PDB file of all heavy atoms in Angstrom:
ATOM      1  N   ALA A 617       0.890  -1.183  -0.024  1.00 98.00           N
ATOM      2  CA  ALA A 617       0.072   0.046  -0.049  1.00 98.00           C
ATOM      3  C   ALA A 617       0.879   1.345  -0.016  1.00 98.00           C
ATOM      4  O   ALA A 617       0.510   2.218  -0.785  1.00 98.00           O
ATOM      5  CB  ALA A 617      -0.971  -0.043   1.241  1.00 98.00           C
ATOM      6  N   LEU A 618       1.987   1.272   0.788  1.00 98.00           N
ATOM      7  CA  LEU A 618       2.859   2.377   0.841  1.00 98.00           C
ATOM      8  C   LEU A 618       3.558   2.561  -0.552  1.00 98.00           C
ATOM      9  O   LEU A 618       3.725   3.802  -0.977  1.00 98.00           O
ATOM     10  CB  LEU A 618       3.740   2.312   1.997  1.00 98.00           C
ATOM     11  CG  LEU A 618       3.160   2.398   3.350  1.00 98.00           C
ATOM     12  CD1 LEU A 618       4.189   2.131   4.366  1.00 98.00           C
ATOM     13  CD2 LEU A 618       2.658   3.889   3.536  1.00 98.00           C
ATOM     14  N   HIS A 619       3.973   1.575  -1.110  1.00 98.00           N
ATOM     15  CA  HIS A 619       4.598   1.581  -2.422  1.00 98.00           C
ATOM     16  C   HIS A 619       3.683   2.135  -3.515  1.00 98.00           C
ATOM     17  O   HIS A 619       4.079   2.971  -4.195  1.00 98.00           O
ATOM     18  CB  HIS A 619       5.134   0.167  -2.736  1.00 98.00           C
ATOM     19  CG  HIS A 619       6.060   0.298  -4.046  1.00 98.00           C
ATOM     20  ND1 HIS A 619       5.564   0.243  -5.268  1.00 98.00           N
ATOM     21  CD2 HIS A 619       7.354   0.480  -4.018  1.00 98.00           C
ATOM     22  CE1 HIS A 619       6.636   0.356  -6.130  1.00 98.00           C
ATOM     23  NE2 HIS A 619       7.649   0.466  -5.490  1.00 98.00           N
ATOM     24  N   GLY A 620       2.486   1.659  -3.413  1.00 98.00           N
ATOM     25  CA  GLY A 620       1.502   2.302  -4.288  1.00 98.00           C
ATOM     26  C   GLY A 620       1.261   3.786  -4.131  1.00 98.00           C
ATOM     27  O   GLY A 620       1.062   4.495  -5.108  1.00 98.00           O
ATOM     28  N   TYR A 621       1.204   4.098  -2.912  1.00 98.00           N
ATOM     29  CA  TYR A 621       1.074   5.512  -2.548  1.00 98.00           C
ATOM     30  C   TYR A 621       2.285   6.405  -3.046  1.00 98.00           C
ATOM     31  O   TYR A 621       2.002   7.420  -3.867  1.00 98.00           O
ATOM     32  CB  TYR A 621       1.116   5.772  -1.020  1.00 98.00           C
ATOM     33  CG  TYR A 621       1.129   7.252  -0.542  1.00 98.00           C
ATOM     34  CD1 TYR A 621      -0.089   7.952  -0.440  1.00 98.00           C
ATOM     35  CD2 TYR A 621       2.371   7.818  -0.075  1.00 98.00           C
ATOM     36  CE1 TYR A 621       0.084   9.250   0.041  1.00 98.00           C
ATOM     37  CE2 TYR A 621       2.412   9.019   0.438  1.00 98.00           C
ATOM     38  CZ  TYR A 621       1.232   9.823   0.465  1.00 98.00           C
ATOM     39  OH  TYR A 621       1.323  11.086   1.012  1.00 98.00           O
ATOM     40  N   PHE A 622       3.438   5.938  -2.997  1.00 98.00           N
ATOM     41  CA  PHE A 622       4.552   6.549  -3.556  1.00 98.00           C
ATOM     42  C   PHE A 622       4.656   6.473  -5.112  1.00 98.00           C
ATOM     43  O   PHE A 622       4.988   7.423  -5.776  1.00 98.00           O
ATOM     44  CB  PHE A 622       5.871   5.983  -3.088  1.00 98.00           C
ATOM     45  CG  PHE A 622       6.137   6.364  -1.587  1.00 98.00           C
ATOM     46  CD1 PHE A 622       6.470   5.371  -0.626  1.00 98.00           C
ATOM     47  CD2 PHE A 622       6.168   7.645  -1.182  1.00 98.00           C
ATOM     48  CE1 PHE A 622       6.720   5.653   0.704  1.00 98.00           C
ATOM     49  CE2 PHE A 622       6.452   8.002   0.069  1.00 98.00           C
ATOM     50  CZ  PHE A 622       6.685   6.975   1.059  1.00 98.00           C
ATOM     51  N   ALA A 623       4.217   5.245  -5.613  1.00 98.00           N
ATOM     52  CA  ALA A 623       4.230   5.094  -7.102  1.00 98.00           C
ATOM     53  C   ALA A 623       3.285   6.103  -7.778  1.00 98.00           C
ATOM     54  O   ALA A 623       3.600   6.496  -8.932  1.00 98.00           O
ATOM     55  CB  ALA A 623       3.916   3.757  -7.419  1.00 98.00           C
ATOM     56  N   ARG A 624       2.242   6.399  -7.169  1.00 98.00           N
ATOM     57  CA  ARG A 624       1.262   7.352  -7.789  1.00 98.00           C
ATOM     58  C   ARG A 624       1.830   8.757  -7.810  1.00 98.00           C
ATOM     59  O   ARG A 624       1.305   9.452  -8.579  1.00 98.00           O
ATOM     60  CB  ARG A 624      -0.030   7.197  -7.128  1.00 98.00           C
ATOM     61  CG  ARG A 624      -0.868   5.906  -7.478  1.00 98.00           C
ATOM     62  CD  ARG A 624      -2.253   5.889  -6.841  1.00 98.00           C
ATOM     63  NE  ARG A 624      -2.252   5.978  -5.418  1.00 98.00           N
ATOM     64  CZ  ARG A 624      -2.146   4.907  -4.573  1.00 98.00           C
ATOM     65  NH1 ARG A 624      -1.896   3.701  -5.112  1.00 98.00           N
ATOM     66  NH2 ARG A 624      -2.255   5.008  -3.220  1.00 98.00           N
ATOM     67  N   ARG A 625       2.583   8.988  -6.799  1.00 97.00           N
ATOM     68  CA  ARG A 625       3.059  10.413  -6.648  1.00 97.00           C
ATOM     69  C   ARG A 625       4.457  10.755  -7.219  1.00 97.00           C
ATOM     70  O   ARG A 625       4.809  11.810  -7.561  1.00 97.00           O
ATOM     71  CB  ARG A 625       3.035  10.842  -5.130  1.00 97.00           C
ATOM     72  CG  ARG A 625       1.539  11.006  -4.713  1.00 97.00           C
ATOM     73  CD  ARG A 625       1.358  10.692  -3.238  1.00 97.00           C
ATOM     74  NE  ARG A 625      -0.080  10.936  -2.843  1.00 97.00           N
ATOM     75  CZ  ARG A 625      -0.958   9.975  -3.025  1.00 97.00           C
ATOM     76  NH1 ARG A 625      -0.732   8.869  -3.485  1.00 97.00           N
ATOM     77  NH2 ARG A 625      -2.202  10.243  -2.621  1.00 97.00           N
ATOM     78  N   ALA A 626       5.300   9.779  -7.136  1.00 97.00           N
ATOM     79  CA  ALA A 626       6.660   9.867  -7.632  1.00 97.00           C
ATOM     80  C   ALA A 626       7.129   8.519  -8.134  1.00 97.00           C
ATOM     81  O   ALA A 626       7.984   7.816  -7.600  1.00 97.00           O
ATOM     82  CB  ALA A 626       7.592  10.294  -6.497  1.00 97.00           C
ATOM     83  N   PRO A 627       6.594   8.121  -9.415  1.00 94.00           N
ATOM     84  CA  PRO A 627       6.880   6.879  -9.888  1.00 94.00           C
ATOM     85  C   PRO A 627       8.297   6.440  -9.912  1.00 94.00           C
ATOM     86  O   PRO A 627       8.635   5.247  -9.614  1.00 94.00           O
ATOM     87  CB  PRO A 627       6.303   6.903 -11.293  1.00 94.00           C
ATOM     88  CG  PRO A 627       5.258   8.011 -11.274  1.00 94.00           C
ATOM     89  CD  PRO A 627       5.855   9.077 -10.269  1.00 94.00           C
ATOM     90  N   GLY A 628       9.211   7.255 -10.360  1.00 96.00           N
ATOM     91  CA  GLY A 628      10.587   6.875 -10.543  1.00 96.00           C
ATOM     92  C   GLY A 628      11.431   6.697  -9.253  1.00 96.00           C
ATOM     93  O   GLY A 628      12.349   6.171  -9.178  1.00 96.00           O
ATOM     94  N   ALA A 629      10.819   7.152  -8.139  1.00 98.00           N
ATOM     95  CA  ALA A 629      11.517   7.126  -6.785  1.00 98.00           C
ATOM     96  C   ALA A 629      10.729   6.326  -5.872  1.00 98.00           C
ATOM     97  O   ALA A 629      11.161   6.386  -4.505  1.00 98.00           O
ATOM     98  CB  ALA A 629      11.591   8.579  -6.351  1.00 98.00           C
ATOM     99  N   ALA A 630       9.616   5.599  -6.188  1.00 98.00           N
ATOM    100  CA  ALA A 630       8.822   4.823  -5.249  1.00 98.00           C
ATOM    101  C   ALA A 630       9.675   3.875  -4.315  1.00 98.00           C
ATOM    102  O   ALA A 630       9.459   3.880  -3.088  1.00 98.00           O
ATOM    103  CB  ALA A 630       7.713   4.085  -5.938  1.00 98.00           C
ATOM    104  N   ASP A 631      10.476   3.129  -4.913  1.00 98.00           N
ATOM    105  CA  ASP A 631      11.378   2.090  -4.206  1.00 98.00           C
ATOM    106  C   ASP A 631      12.109   2.843  -3.103  1.00 98.00           C
ATOM    107  O   ASP A 631      12.271   2.408  -1.894  1.00 98.00           O
ATOM    108  CB  ASP A 631      12.217   1.301  -5.111  1.00 98.00           C
ATOM    109  CG  ASP A 631      11.366   0.373  -5.955  1.00 98.00           C
ATOM    110  OD1 ASP A 631      10.239   0.156  -5.754  1.00 98.00           O
ATOM    111  OD2 ASP A 631      12.012  -0.047  -6.946  1.00 98.00           O
ATOM    112  N   ASP A 632      12.871   4.027  -3.448  1.00 98.00           N
ATOM    113  CA  ASP A 632      13.816   4.668  -2.626  1.00 98.00           C
ATOM    114  C   ASP A 632      12.900   5.381  -1.402  1.00 98.00           C
ATOM    115  O   ASP A 632      13.290   5.343  -0.323  1.00 98.00           O
ATOM    116  CB  ASP A 632      14.505   5.693  -3.275  1.00 98.00           C
ATOM    117  CG  ASP A 632      15.567   5.168  -4.213  1.00 98.00           C
ATOM    118  OD1 ASP A 632      16.010   3.883  -4.003  1.00 98.00           O
ATOM    119  OD2 ASP A 632      16.185   5.765  -5.136  1.00 98.00           O
ATOM    120  N   LEU A 633      11.795   5.895  -1.885  1.00 98.00           N
ATOM    121  CA  LEU A 633      10.963   6.540  -0.892  1.00 98.00           C
ATOM    122  C   LEU A 633      10.367   5.568   0.171  1.00 98.00           C
ATOM    123  O   LEU A 633      10.234   5.769   1.324  1.00 98.00           O
ATOM    124  CB  LEU A 633       9.795   7.297  -1.544  1.00 98.00           C
ATOM    125  CG  LEU A 633      10.183   8.542  -2.360  1.00 98.00           C
ATOM    126  CD1 LEU A 633       9.086   8.998  -3.379  1.00 98.00           C
ATOM    127  CD2 LEU A 633      10.684   9.642  -1.415  1.00 98.00           C
ATOM    128  N   LEU A 634      10.039   4.425  -0.412  1.00 98.00           N
ATOM    129  CA  LEU A 634       9.473   3.348   0.466  1.00 98.00           C
ATOM    130  C   LEU A 634      10.566   2.953   1.516  1.00 98.00           C
ATOM    131  O   LEU A 634      10.252   2.866   2.732  1.00 98.00           O
ATOM    132  CB  LEU A 634       8.990   2.146  -0.377  1.00 98.00           C
ATOM    133  CG  LEU A 634       8.527   0.929   0.444  1.00 98.00           C
ATOM    134  CD1 LEU A 634       7.205   1.432   1.345  1.00 98.00           C
ATOM    135  CD2 LEU A 634       8.182  -0.218  -0.401  1.00 98.00           C
ATOM    136  N   ALA A 635      11.759   2.711   1.098  1.00 98.00           N
ATOM    137  CA  ALA A 635      12.814   2.434   1.878  1.00 98.00           C
ATOM    138  C   ALA A 635      13.090   3.465   2.917  1.00 98.00           C
ATOM    139  O   ALA A 635      13.346   3.192   4.137  1.00 98.00           O
ATOM    140  CB  ALA A 635      14.235   2.167   1.193  1.00 98.00           C
ATOM    141  N   GLU A 636      13.035   4.680   2.547  1.00 98.00           N
ATOM    142  CA  GLU A 636      13.317   5.820   3.412  1.00 98.00           C
ATOM    143  C   GLU A 636      12.161   5.820   4.523  1.00 98.00           C
ATOM    144  O   GLU A 636      12.370   6.123   5.692  1.00 98.00           O
ATOM    145  CB  GLU A 636      13.391   7.187   2.694  1.00 98.00           C
ATOM    146  CG  GLU A 636      13.612   8.361   3.654  1.00 98.00           C
ATOM    147  CD  GLU A 636      14.922   8.279   4.407  1.00 98.00           C
ATOM    148  OE1 GLU A 636      15.896   7.553   4.021  1.00 98.00           O
ATOM    149  OE2 GLU A 636      14.965   8.933   5.503  1.00 98.00           O
ATOM    150  N   ALA A 637      10.967   5.717   4.032  1.00 98.00           N
ATOM    151  CA  ALA A 637       9.787   5.683   4.976  1.00 98.00           C
ATOM    152  C   ALA A 637       9.909   4.594   5.963  1.00 98.00           C
ATOM    153  O   ALA A 637       9.668   4.856   7.269  1.00 98.00           O
ATOM    154  CB  ALA A 637       8.456   5.430   4.126  1.00 98.00           C
ATOM    155  N   TRP A 638      10.282   3.469   5.637  1.00 98.00           N
ATOM    156  CA  TRP A 638      10.447   2.360   6.609  1.00 98.00           C
ATOM    157  C   TRP A 638      11.631   2.681   7.669  1.00 98.00           C
ATOM    158  O   TRP A 638      11.482   2.375   8.763  1.00 98.00           O
ATOM    159  CB  TRP A 638      10.635   1.057   5.967  1.00 98.00           C
ATOM    160  CG  TRP A 638       9.445   0.421   5.500  1.00 98.00           C
ATOM    161  CD1 TRP A 638       9.081   0.091   4.222  1.00 98.00           C
ATOM    162  CD2 TRP A 638       8.147   0.163   6.206  1.00 98.00           C
ATOM    163  NE1 TRP A 638       7.771  -0.428   4.141  1.00 98.00           N
ATOM    164  CE2 TRP A 638       7.291  -0.301   5.365  1.00 98.00           C
ATOM    165  CE3 TRP A 638       7.861   0.370   7.524  1.00 98.00           C
ATOM    166  CZ2 TRP A 638       5.911  -0.658   5.735  1.00 98.00           C
ATOM    167  CZ3 TRP A 638       6.522   0.025   7.903  1.00 98.00           C
ATOM    168  CH2 TRP A 638       5.546  -0.444   7.027  1.00 98.00           C
ATOM    169  N   LEU A 639      12.743   3.227   7.158  1.00 98.00           N
ATOM    170  CA  LEU A 639      13.774   3.684   8.050  1.00 98.00           C
ATOM    171  C   LEU A 639      13.338   4.647   9.028  1.00 98.00           C
ATOM    172  O   LEU A 639      13.597   4.592  10.195  1.00 98.00           O
ATOM    173  CB  LEU A 639      14.986   4.175   7.166  1.00 98.00           C
ATOM    174  CG  LEU A 639      15.808   3.277   6.450  1.00 98.00           C
ATOM    175  CD1 LEU A 639      16.762   3.990   5.558  1.00 98.00           C
ATOM    176  CD2 LEU A 639      16.519   2.276   7.412  1.00 98.00           C
ATOM    177  N   GLN A 640      12.576   5.642   8.570  1.00 98.00           N
ATOM    178  CA  GLN A 640      12.076   6.806   9.442  1.00 98.00           C
ATOM    179  C   GLN A 640      10.990   6.213  10.449  1.00 98.00           C
ATOM    180  O   GLN A 640      10.992   6.527  11.604  1.00 98.00           O
ATOM    181  CB  GLN A 640      11.505   7.882   8.640  1.00 98.00           C
ATOM    182  CG  GLN A 640      12.643   8.695   8.051  1.00 98.00           C
ATOM    183  CD  GLN A 640      12.058   9.936   7.320  1.00 98.00           C
ATOM    184  OE1 GLN A 640      11.015  10.525   7.698  1.00 98.00           O
ATOM    185  NE2 GLN A 640      12.876  10.549   6.421  1.00 98.00           N
ATOM    186  N   ALA A 641      10.111   5.369   9.934  1.00 98.00           N
ATOM    187  CA  ALA A 641       9.074   4.764  10.760  1.00 98.00           C
ATOM    188  C   ALA A 641       9.699   3.922  11.922  1.00 98.00           C
ATOM    189  O   ALA A 641       9.267   4.001  13.127  1.00 98.00           O
ATOM    190  CB  ALA A 641       8.095   3.927   9.879  1.00 98.00           C
ATOM    191  N   PHE A 642      10.786   3.110  11.560  1.00 98.00           N
ATOM    192  CA  PHE A 642      11.322   2.269  12.605  1.00 98.00           C
ATOM    193  C   PHE A 642      12.053   3.188  13.536  1.00 98.00           C
ATOM    194  O   PHE A 642      11.928   2.875  14.809  1.00 98.00           O
ATOM    195  CB  PHE A 642      12.351   1.353  11.896  1.00 98.00           C
ATOM    196  CG  PHE A 642      12.977   0.347  12.848  1.00 98.00           C
ATOM    197  CD1 PHE A 642      12.190  -0.762  13.222  1.00 98.00           C
ATOM    198  CD2 PHE A 642      14.185   0.451  13.377  1.00 98.00           C
ATOM    199  CE1 PHE A 642      12.816  -1.688  14.159  1.00 98.00           C
ATOM    200  CE2 PHE A 642      14.764  -0.340  14.287  1.00 98.00           C
ATOM    201  CZ  PHE A 642      14.056  -1.458  14.655  1.00 98.00           C
ATOM    202  N   ALA A 643      12.713   4.240  13.188  1.00 98.00           N
ATOM    203  CA  ALA A 643      13.531   5.118  14.035  1.00 98.00           C
ATOM    204  C   ALA A 643      12.467   5.825  14.941  1.00 98.00           C
ATOM    205  O   ALA A 643      12.877   6.107  16.117  1.00 98.00           O
ATOM    206  CB  ALA A 643      14.275   6.044  13.213  1.00 98.00           C
ATOM    207  N   ALA A 644      11.337   6.121  14.433  1.00 98.00           N
ATOM    208  CA  ALA A 644      10.324   6.885  15.249  1.00 98.00           C
ATOM    209  C   ALA A 644       9.208   6.042  15.869  1.00 98.00           C
ATOM    210  O   ALA A 644       8.218   6.576  16.381  1.00 98.00           O
ATOM    211  CB  ALA A 644       9.699   7.926  14.324  1.00 98.00           C
ATOM    212  N   ARG A 645       9.333   4.687  15.742  1.00 97.00           N
ATOM    213  CA  ARG A 645       8.163   3.872  16.329  1.00 97.00           C
ATOM    214  C   ARG A 645       7.865   4.197  17.707  1.00 97.00           C
ATOM    215  O   ARG A 645       6.794   3.939  18.108  1.00 97.00           O
ATOM    216  CB  ARG A 645       8.537   2.462  16.072  1.00 97.00           C
ATOM    217  CG  ARG A 645       9.786   1.977  16.984  1.00 97.00           C
ATOM    218  CD  ARG A 645      10.382   0.489  16.556  1.00 97.00           C
ATOM    219  NE  ARG A 645      11.283  -0.001  17.374  1.00 97.00           N
ATOM    220  CZ  ARG A 645      12.576   0.357  17.382  1.00 97.00           C
ATOM    221  NH1 ARG A 645      13.020   1.253  16.542  1.00 97.00           N
ATOM    222  NH2 ARG A 645      13.406  -0.184  18.239  1.00 97.00           N
ATOM    223  N   HIS A 646       8.793   4.661  18.527  1.00 97.00           N
ATOM    224  CA  HIS A 646       8.403   5.112  19.940  1.00 97.00           C
ATOM    225  C   HIS A 646       7.475   6.312  19.984  1.00 97.00           C
ATOM    226  O   HIS A 646       6.806   6.454  21.021  1.00 97.00           O
ATOM    227  CB  HIS A 646       9.725   5.331  20.765  1.00 97.00           C
ATOM    228  CG  HIS A 646      10.350   6.669  20.283  1.00 97.00           C
ATOM    229  ND1 HIS A 646      11.204   6.614  19.197  1.00 97.00           N
ATOM    230  CD2 HIS A 646      10.391   7.883  20.774  1.00 97.00           C
ATOM    231  CE1 HIS A 646      11.598   7.826  18.946  1.00 97.00           C
ATOM    232  NE2 HIS A 646      11.158   8.657  19.867  1.00 97.00           N
ATOM    233  N   THR A 647       7.267   6.959  18.934  1.00 97.00           N
ATOM    234  CA  THR A 647       6.329   8.213  18.890  1.00 97.00           C
ATOM    235  C   THR A 647       4.862   7.820  18.583  1.00 97.00           C
ATOM    236  O   THR A 647       4.015   8.607  18.708  1.00 97.00           O
ATOM    237  CB  THR A 647       6.802   9.290  17.911  1.00 97.00           C
ATOM    238  OG1 THR A 647       6.680   8.695  16.612  1.00 97.00           O
ATOM    239  CG2 THR A 647       8.226   9.626  18.227  1.00 97.00           C
ATOM    240  N   PHE A 648       4.674   6.509  18.212  1.00 96.00           N
ATOM    241  CA  PHE A 648       3.319   6.106  17.880  1.00 96.00           C
ATOM    242  C   PHE A 648       2.352   6.187  19.134  1.00 96.00           C
ATOM    243  O   PHE A 648       2.791   5.632  20.178  1.00 96.00           O
ATOM    244  CB  PHE A 648       3.263   4.667  17.286  1.00 96.00           C
ATOM    245  CG  PHE A 648       1.870   4.156  17.095  1.00 96.00           C
ATOM    246  CD1 PHE A 648       1.028   4.697  16.171  1.00 96.00           C
ATOM    247  CD2 PHE A 648       1.444   3.114  17.903  1.00 96.00           C
ATOM    248  CE1 PHE A 648      -0.152   4.298  15.982  1.00 96.00           C
ATOM    249  CE2 PHE A 648       0.079   2.673  17.774  1.00 96.00           C
ATOM    250  CZ  PHE A 648      -0.756   3.186  16.783  1.00 96.00           C
ATOM    251  N   ASP A 649       1.276   6.702  18.968  1.00 95.00           N
ATOM    252  CA  ASP A 649       0.270   6.901  20.038  1.00 95.00           C
ATOM    253  C   ASP A 649      -1.122   6.405  19.475  1.00 95.00           C
ATOM    254  O   ASP A 649      -1.774   7.180  18.617  1.00 95.00           O
ATOM    255  CB  ASP A 649       0.204   8.280  20.539  1.00 95.00           C
ATOM    256  CG  ASP A 649      -0.829   8.535  21.684  1.00 95.00           C
ATOM    257  OD1 ASP A 649      -1.367   7.493  22.079  1.00 95.00           O
ATOM    258  OD2 ASP A 649      -0.868   9.650  22.179  1.00 95.00           O
ATOM    259  N   ALA A 650      -1.550   5.234  19.877  1.00 93.00           N
ATOM    260  CA  ALA A 650      -2.874   4.712  19.428  1.00 93.00           C
ATOM    261  C   ALA A 650      -4.025   5.618  19.691  1.00 93.00           C
ATOM    262  O   ALA A 650      -5.003   5.545  19.136  1.00 93.00           O
ATOM    263  CB  ALA A 650      -3.003   3.303  19.873  1.00 93.00           C
ATOM    264  N   ALA A 651      -3.845   6.382  20.734  1.00 94.00           N
ATOM    265  CA  ALA A 651      -4.878   7.350  21.106  1.00 94.00           C
ATOM    266  C   ALA A 651      -5.109   8.443  20.091  1.00 94.00           C
ATOM    267  O   ALA A 651      -6.109   8.991  19.978  1.00 94.00           O
ATOM    268  CB  ALA A 651      -4.646   7.906  22.507  1.00 94.00           C
ATOM    269  N   ARG A 652      -4.048   8.678  19.160  1.00 95.00           N
ATOM    270  CA  ARG A 652      -4.160   9.682  18.227  1.00 95.00           C
ATOM    271  C   ARG A 652      -4.489   9.161  16.879  1.00 95.00           C
ATOM    272  O   ARG A 652      -4.607   9.869  15.951  1.00 95.00           O
ATOM    273  CB  ARG A 652      -2.762  10.464  18.179  1.00 95.00           C
ATOM    274  CG  ARG A 652      -2.530  11.148  19.615  1.00 95.00           C
ATOM    275  CD  ARG A 652      -1.232  11.940  19.419  1.00 95.00           C
ATOM    276  NE  ARG A 652      -1.225  12.892  18.476  1.00 95.00           N
ATOM    277  CZ  ARG A 652      -0.101  13.346  17.909  1.00 95.00           C
ATOM    278  NH1 ARG A 652       1.063  12.987  18.254  1.00 95.00           N
ATOM    279  NH2 ARG A 652      -0.169  14.230  17.008  1.00 95.00           N
ATOM    280  N   GLY A 653      -4.610   7.780  16.696  1.00 94.00           N
ATOM    281  CA  GLY A 653      -4.942   7.246  15.359  1.00 94.00           C
ATOM    282  C   GLY A 653      -4.372   5.844  15.302  1.00 94.00           C
ATOM    283  O   GLY A 653      -3.609   5.325  16.138  1.00 94.00           O
ATOM    284  N   SER A 654      -4.640   5.184  14.148  1.00 96.00           N
ATOM    285  CA  SER A 654      -4.262   3.825  13.902  1.00 96.00           C
ATOM    286  C   SER A 654      -2.789   3.728  13.457  1.00 96.00           C
ATOM    287  O   SER A 654      -2.216   4.723  12.978  1.00 96.00           O
ATOM    288  CB  SER A 654      -5.088   3.205  12.749  1.00 96.00           C
ATOM    289  OG  SER A 654      -4.933   3.812  11.653  1.00 96.00           O
ATOM    290  N   ALA A 655      -2.236   2.469  13.501  1.00 96.00           N
ATOM    291  CA  ALA A 655      -0.856   2.285  12.968  1.00 96.00           C
ATOM    292  C   ALA A 655      -0.901   2.554  11.504  1.00 96.00           C
ATOM    293  O   ALA A 655       0.124   3.173  11.016  1.00 96.00           O
ATOM    294  CB  ALA A 655      -0.383   0.770  13.202  1.00 96.00           C
ATOM    295  N   ARG A 656      -1.862   2.194  10.742  1.00 96.00           N
ATOM    296  CA  ARG A 656      -1.926   2.433   9.396  1.00 96.00           C
ATOM    297  C   ARG A 656      -1.799   4.025   9.042  1.00 96.00           C
ATOM    298  O   ARG A 656      -1.082   4.430   8.211  1.00 96.00           O
ATOM    299  CB  ARG A 656      -3.212   1.827   8.729  1.00 96.00           C
ATOM    300  CG  ARG A 656      -3.328   2.017   7.222  1.00 96.00           C
ATOM    301  CD  ARG A 656      -4.568   1.443   6.675  1.00 96.00           C
ATOM    302  NE  ARG A 656      -4.601   1.276   5.212  1.00 96.00           N
ATOM    303  CZ  ARG A 656      -4.689   2.272   4.378  1.00 96.00           C
ATOM    304  NH1 ARG A 656      -4.969   3.491   4.834  1.00 96.00           N
ATOM    305  NH2 ARG A 656      -4.674   1.997   3.062  1.00 96.00           N
TER     306      ARG A 656
END
């Protein structure tokens, strides 16, 4: 789903953007607050 999101907005960079998103999400995982919204 995230790759599709990137592919629709930046087709040539979707793979790199997806990798960066996962790196940032992993690094910031401690900031997730279920009271503010879903994991998705």
